[in-house]
Amino acid sequence: PISEAMQMIYSPQFWRNLSDLNIERDGPDFKARDQPNVKGVHDSMFRDGYVLTYPEWKSKPATLAENVSRLVELGFAPSFITVFDEVWDFINEAQAIVNHDQPSGVNVCNYDILAWSIDPKLGQAGFSPHRDRQPAETSSSFHANGAAKYLTCWIALSDATPENSCLYVIPKFADPGYLLGDDDDVDSGQDPMSRALSDKASYQDVREPLKSGGAAFFTHRILHWGSKGSNLPHVTPRISLAVAFSDPAFEKPYFSPAQP
């Protein structure tokens, strides 16, 4: 019965029996240690709209990737990994990077969190090209200092390569609609991708694979997508974690920070 299944899922012991990860805390506290190697992150964000970095994570990305794979094998969606404390260690430390050299609390975790296990051998791929947010007035979605009011941290828990599906982005400088705004009217020929990739040379601006543990921080205006990988026998799934941070005045968190 559904009631028994729900009771099982809400039981911490059920999840402890599935994994060697921890499930002890009442809720996230967002008390992260400083990241020593993130200097220049916001400078790169202002210039390109995104940045790649390799933080010194408290937990091992590969361990989280193994547990995502285990959940998928048992029939659970990858995002069920968020029941474990180690996921929140990653989110806490991503929050520290978001706040680095910025006024504390400008952008907070809004609980828009997804885990991915993309298996090319099953024909899977990430999202097609898109922007995370299309505000009516683009300029209003940035702070006075130029920082975005919404950004995403995308963490490669496994290697993310062209073979197993990596994240691709079009940098701010190569994207006419990044600051000026645009719409998704494909039929008009003025959709974001057509404008950004207007000639053959512009395709050379597209970037980027990441090794396990790497993180891509990008704003809500960055055009990005997950590629379709190869179905060759040696290719393993791409496993990643994405979490969004926003100014509550721009987009409120899904849950109150006071809620466990």
Side-chain angles (χ1 to χ4, degrees):
I2 293 178
S3 60
E4 291 183 9
M6 293 297 292
Q7 187 176 17
M8 179 180 66
I9 288 174
Y10 278 111
S11 166
Q13 191 57 48
F14 171 78
W15 298 104
R16 292 189 186 103
N17 292 339
L18 295 184
S19 173
D20 54 0
L21 297 177
N22 295 299
I23 178 168
E24 304 295 339
R25 303 173 200 159
D26 291 332
D29 56 18
F30 296 117
K31 294 178 180 177
R33 61 196 178 99
D34 289 335
Q35 285 285 349
N37 59 342
V38 299
K39 186 177 180 180
V41 163
H42 287 281
D43 289 342
S44 296
M45 292 278 285
F46 291 152
R47 183 183 66 248
D48 296 332
Y50 82 100
V51 66
L52 304 183
T53 185
Y54 283 85
E56 297 180 2
W57 304 112
K58 178 180 178 181
S59 299
K60 293 182 179 180
T63 300
L64 216 58
E66 291 168 4
N67 280 273
V68 169
S69 295
R70 190 177 306 164
L71 290 175
V72 171
E73 288 173 3
L74 293 170
F76 291 96
S79 293
F80 274 95
I81 195 70
T82 56
V83 303
F84 296 106
D85 296 343
E86 285 79 358
V87 173
W88 295 95
D89 289 334
F90 279 93
I91 295 171
N92 290 347
E93 294 183 88
Q95 177 75 78
I97 297 172
V98 169
N99 287 340
H100 186 75
D101 290 336
Q102 295 291 309
S104 179
V106 169
N107 282 11
V108 300
C109 175
N110 63 16
Y111 300 94
D112 187 353
I113 304 166
L114 283 172
W116 299 89
S117 177
I118 302 297
D119 190 345
K121 292 194 289 292
L122 298 178
Q124 297 172 349
F127 280 138
S128 61
H130 66 284
R131 303 189 195 278
D132 281 341
R133 294 296 181 271
Q134 284 275 30
E137 294 184 9
T138 304
S139 60
S140 67
S141 63
F142 291 87
H143 295 289
N145 67 354
K149 293 182 179 179
Y150 187 107
L151 58 88
T152 298
C153 173
W154 192 95
I155 304 168
L157 300 176
S158 68
D159 288 346
T161 71
E163 284 191 324
N164 72 349
S165 174
C166 56
L167 181 74
Y168 285 96
V169 305
I170 298 178
K172 170 184 173 181
F173 66 80
D175 180 0
Y178 180 93
L179 289 175
L180 297 178
D182 47 27
D183 58 41
D184 293 321
D185 186 2
V186 177
D187 294 334
S188 71
Q190 293 299 308
D191 64 283
M193 289 291 286
S194 296
R195 294 179 67 197
L197 302 175
S198 57
D199 55 42
K200 290 188 290 186
S202 61
Y203 283 82
Q204 294 174 303
D205 292 323
V206 176
R207 338 174 156 180
E208 85 245 14
L210 273 174
K211 290 187 177 296
S212 176
F217 288 82
F218 52 91
T219 78
H220 61 300
R221 296 300 298 160
I222 278 289
L223 279 170
H224 61 287
W225 62 95
S227 65
K228 189 172 183 178
S230 167
N231 61 2
L232 292 173
H234 70 277
V235 176
T236 57
R238 181 261 283 169
I239 300 173
S240 56
L241 176 71
V243 55
F245 301 87
S246 60
D247 180 338
F250 176 70
E251 186 166 315
K252 293 180 180 179
Y254 290 120
F255 303 103
S256 165
Q259 287 182 264

